[in-house]
Amino acid sequence: MRSQVIKIKNIPQQEPPVHYIRVKPVTALSVMLGAGVGLLFTDAVWQVIGMSMIMFALFCLVLLPDRVLVVFNPKFMILNNCIDRSECMMIYWDEIVNWQYEWHPANDNLTITMVDGSMQIIELYSKRRVAKYMNMYAPNKEIKNVRIKEGKI
């Protein structure tokens, strides 16, 4: 099996990554920052709201930690779910048997089952962003969550 745990510095650099999924929602925070600046040029009440939005967005962008969770590439995906932060799991698309996005109260998990029977689990926060690339590179391998309401068969 070609999929394995490797050092981050040993990731092949032949093809650039298509998409990163990060911990921090930089786009949403940037929009909030821009909206806050826009509100500074309105009435006094809206200026206070705008200042609050600016302070919150700057706090999140500057002080909160950020790291890459998943990297999507046409040949493989990188999961940064190893305990040692200098290592990552490189998974080739043809070695994925199936994948499932699981909702939990505290956080969501992406569970990937490999050809050798092993499972890789990583905590994520948005199915929409993950499912787009998983369906693009590992089509028809998603296990859909079947939710049955109680009392109905």
Side-chain angles (χ1 to χ4, degrees), residues 73-143:
N73 187 296
K75 293 183 180 177
F76 53 84
M77 73 184 297
I78 302 289
L79 299 179
N80 291 317
N81 61 345
C82 296
I83 295 172
D84 183 2
R85 294 291 172 112
S86 67
E87 295 180 340
C88 61
M89 180 69 183
M90 183 170 69
I91 299 175
Y92 286 90
W93 295 112
D94 58 346
E95 295 180 354
I96 295 175
V97 174
N98 57 44
W99 64 274
Q100 181 176 19
Y101 193 87
E102 302 170 351
W103 287 275
H104 298 285
N107 58 338
D108 299 344
N109 291 333
L110 174 64
T111 305
I112 300 172
T113 306
M114 306 295 293
V115 200
D116 65 349
S118 65
M119 295 178 75
Q120 294 295 320
I121 299 171
I122 187 165
E123 294 178 2
L124 294 173
Y125 306 102
S126 173
K127 180 182 180 179
R128 182 179 48 86
R129 293 173 48 190
V130 173
K132 174 183 174 183
Y133 292 100
M134 291 299 290
N135 286 325
M136 181 186 303
Y137 295 117
N140 304 320
K141 294 184 179 182
E142 180 181 8
I143 297 175

Side-chain angles (χ1 to χ4, degrees), residues 28-48:
L29 292 171
S30 299
V31 168
M32 180 183 285
L33 183 65
V37 169
L39 288 175
L40 290 179
F41 302 105
T42 59
D43 296 334
V45 175
W46 291 104
Q47 288 177 352
V48 172

